Amino acid sequence: MSETGDSRRNSIELVGAKAGTAMPAEMRQALNLRGLVPASIEDFSKQEMRAFQQLMAKPTNLEKYEFLASLRSINVNLFFRLVLNHFKEVAPIIYTPTVGEACLNYSHIYPFIYPCKTSVGMFITLNDVENIDAVIENYRNSMAEHIDPEITVITDGSRILGLGDLGINGMGIPIGKLQLYVAIAGLNPGRTLPIVLDFGTNSKKYLNDPLYLGTRQPRPDDETVSIYCHLDFYRAADKVLAALYRAFPDLLVQFEDFSTDHAFGLLKNWRNKALCFNDDIQGTGCVILGGFISAVEQAGIPPRDQRILFVGAGSAGVGVAKQLIEYFVIEHRIPEEQAKAMFWFVDSRGMITANRGDKLAQHKVYFARHDNGDTQCTSIDEALEYVKPTALIGLSTIYKAFNERILTRMNELNTDARPIIFPLSNPDKKAECTFEEAMQCTNNRVLFASGTAFPEYTVPETGEVRVPAQGNNMYVFPAIGLGAVLCKPSHITDTMIYAVSKALANSLNEQERARGELYPRIERIRDVAARLTAAFITQAVREGCVRDKHWMEIVQSNMPQEADSKAVTGLFTKRVLGEVKTLMWAPASSVEQYIVEAITYGNPDDI
């Protein structure tokens, strides 16, 4: 046999070995494994059954996380079959809320959850920045198939969920998020790259932890260089980003869990010159807008009469509010200044006003009230009485900020309409209220969406079971990611994000609408992701930003019929949707399919 033939045979045998207990008999024979492994040859469904039983037998969610992380390093195909076929059970383990607990313990569990991996991504220190091209080349050389990444999720760990500065321990977020990109939207697992910028930490807890795996130094600030390196934050981050785009020109960068100022700063600096977006700002705004559109339709008052009070004025809160303003401007033709006047913000010092007496962070200035006269509200209760909101939205990370008194008062203020209450902070230990509390305090009238999952609620008087809406970013960021990877727009615009929000609201089926739900059932999330991706690509083509000729031709020859060609509708055609679905990666369902695809496209277990 030729050298090429030997190589191909060896490759097939090694891939077959990765199939584990499903490895065919002839491959066991070729690998001299006869008598060395159990004789039973299983199909993939039995492997999945065993894995799920082991998962559910773990007594704590952190142990379940560790089991899944280990499985991911051993068998990518089995891992994603488990995620897809048991999404409702597995998603809260690999992402919120359990990923928060995993991040808090990341340095302690890291060596034991990736037993078969030399690296799970890139850990870039300040000292690496000047040699960043060499670091990227190290990553390239570590990839068995030498396949360039299509998408990266990058964080510096400075503001992980509502947990604060976790330093390198924040790496659990990019890893978990990319697993959702794969499971929900079908991105190729071999072309995803998690990155943590290990620029230090200001957390004394981790600086004093003898097992902390990150750099033991304070973070650089925006203007003063670190004593450990001559670069400030933005210069260091920009060098990393420039090198990534140099190495991978079509790469989509998703910024994740940076401190508020840096989140806005990085997005401002890069959004118009490279393919990137910030999920905390744009993704959160996108998914909440999708649910808010549905809530406004059910609230019982005209959209222009909404009075919206935000508790929490960080990057996520401001990002959500700006998306909602865009909705009122585009959908209801309300002038921007009038739309902005429908919003009030409360931060840690009270209601945000221009004459409060403190220097406001730049991202808060836009929403500072100028019409309050001498009135200054120093608490949520005072702001509630002053604003008399129809909608209360929490992104404060303050547990139980919406207490019984607040919730009951919201119900009293909205006797002629259904109150909209969105406690969006996560994980659950940071949530402003629970679904049960909101239902009980509003006589079951609330239009509710949360950032973390809550259990169903049974109305005592009727026995009716209500399912809480979860405004989780995982409804939208996978679709934004897949859409950007497929059609390669020069940059991502606000109207592309808006089209995804509209498509999300449009994706409710008849049964979900009849039940008054605000989001599609989570069991349909992969189908919903395909629809949102089609909407994103269609809008990108309409804006003339797409670089991929294939998608330009498909969309332009299959454009949805719309009364107003300039309207952002979130609509798409079946032809575009069908093309998206054919390009979504899915784990192999049989060992034969697994072997063929691994030989043809590269083995996902080698990444």
Side-chain angles (χ1 to χ4, degrees), residues 509-584:
N509 61 31
E510 291 182 7
Q511 294 81 6
E512 290 158 348
R513 292 182 189 279
R515 290 191 294 260
E517 296 177 5
L518 304 185
Y519 292 101
R521 290 293 175 101
I522 203 72
E523 292 84 357
R524 297 200 302 117
I525 195 167
R526 191 166 166 103
D527 177 67
V528 171
R531 294 174 178 276
L532 271 54
T533 300
F536 177 95
I537 293 173
T538 299
Q539 183 62 31
V541 171
R542 292 179 65 183
E543 294 180 27
C545 295
V546 170
R547 292 175 290 172
D548 188 288
K549 293 182 179 179
H550 173 72
W551 285 103
M552 288 176 60
E553 293 171 356
I554 289 178
V555 174
Q556 287 174 348
S557 60
N558 294 274
M559 193 68 75
Q561 298 296 319
E562 298 166 357
D564 183 353
S565 61
K566 294 183 179 180
V568 183
T569 63
L571 299 178
F572 50 85
T573 63
K574 290 183 179 180
R575 172 72 178 86
V576 174
L577 176 61
E579 185 70 8
V580 168
K581 288 184 175 181
T582 63
L583 296 174
M584 294 171 70

Side-chain angles (χ1 to χ4, degrees), residues 118-119 121 136-146 606-607:
T118 55
S119 176
I136 292 173
E137 191 61 25
N138 286 344
Y139 168 77
R140 260 185 164 152
N141 292 336
S142 73
M143 299 293 287
E145 303 291 340
H146 298 286
D606 285 335
I607 59 177

Side-chain angles (χ1 to χ4, degrees), residues 168-189:
I168 199 177
N169 295 330
M171 183 54 139
I173 297 296
I175 290 173
K177 205 131 199 178
L178 287 167
Q179 289 170 353
L180 293 181
Y181 274 106
V182 174
I184 296 171
L187 278 87
N188 186 330

Side-chain angles (χ1 to χ4, degrees), residues 149-365:
E150 295 175 322
I151 181 172
T152 180
V153 175
I154 184 170
T155 186
D156 69 347
S158 58
R159 198 213 59 188
I160 296 297
L161 300 175
L163 304 173
D165 182 354
L166 303 191
I168 199 177
N169 295 330
M171 183 54 139
I173 297 296
I175 290 173
K177 205 131 199 178
L178 287 167
Q179 289 170 353
L180 293 181
Y181 274 106
V182 174
I184 296 171
L187 278 87
N188 186 330
R191 306 192 71 175
T192 63
L193 171 58
I195 298 177
V196 62
L197 300 179
D198 182 16
F199 289 179
T201 178
N202 293 333
S203 170
K204 291 183 180 180
K205 173 184 176 180
Y206 296 117
L207 290 173
N208 295 328
D209 183 352
L211 297 181
Y212 178 61
L213 290 171
T215 302
R216 297 174 184 276
Q217 64 189 44
R219 297 180 178 278
D221 62 26
D222 300 351
E223 299 175 356
T224 306
V225 299
S226 168
I227 62 172
Y228 302 94
C229 178
H230 69 280
L231 297 171
D232 61 37
F233 171 81
Y234 281 111
R235 288 173 62 194
D238 286 350
K239 280 180 174 287
V240 172
L241 291 167
L244 286 169
Y245 284 121
R246 204 162 47 241
F248 314 118
D250 293 328
L251 183 70
L252 170 64
V253 172
Q254 190 230 288
F255 300 114
E256 179 73 19
D257 284 352
F258 285 85
S259 65
T260 298
D261 289 345
H262 289 165
F264 280 103
L266 287 171
L267 185 61
K268 179 181 178 181
N269 293 344
W270 285 92
R271 65 175 302 176
N272 292 321
K273 61 183 179 182
L275 190 57
C276 64
F277 77 106
N278 182 301
D279 185 50
D280 301 306
I281 299 172
Q282 296 163 289
T284 303
C286 179
V287 73
I288 300 310
L289 174 55
F292 190 80
I293 291 171
S294 298
V296 168
E297 292 173 352
Q298 300 179 45
I301 60 173
R304 62 177 60 249
D305 291 341
Q306 290 286 342
R307 299 168 64 84
I308 304 153
L309 178 61
F310 273 77
V311 179
S315 59
V318 171
V320 169
K322 287 188 173 180
Q323 290 275 28
L324 299 190
I325 285 177
E326 194 167 7
Y327 160 69
F328 288 116
V329 171
I330 294 175
E331 196 75 11
H332 299 287
R333 311 290 185 180
I334 301 174
E336 181 180 350
E337 285 303 309
Q338 292 182 27
K340 184 174 71 171
M342 297 163 63
F343 291 78
W344 289 258
F345 270 84
V346 171
D347 64 8
S348 59
R349 301 193 60 176
M351 188 170 72
I352 296 176
T353 64
N355 62 348
R356 193 169 68 175
D358 60 330
K359 181 177 174 55
L360 295 175
Q362 187 58 42
H363 69 277
K364 298 180 183 181
V365 171

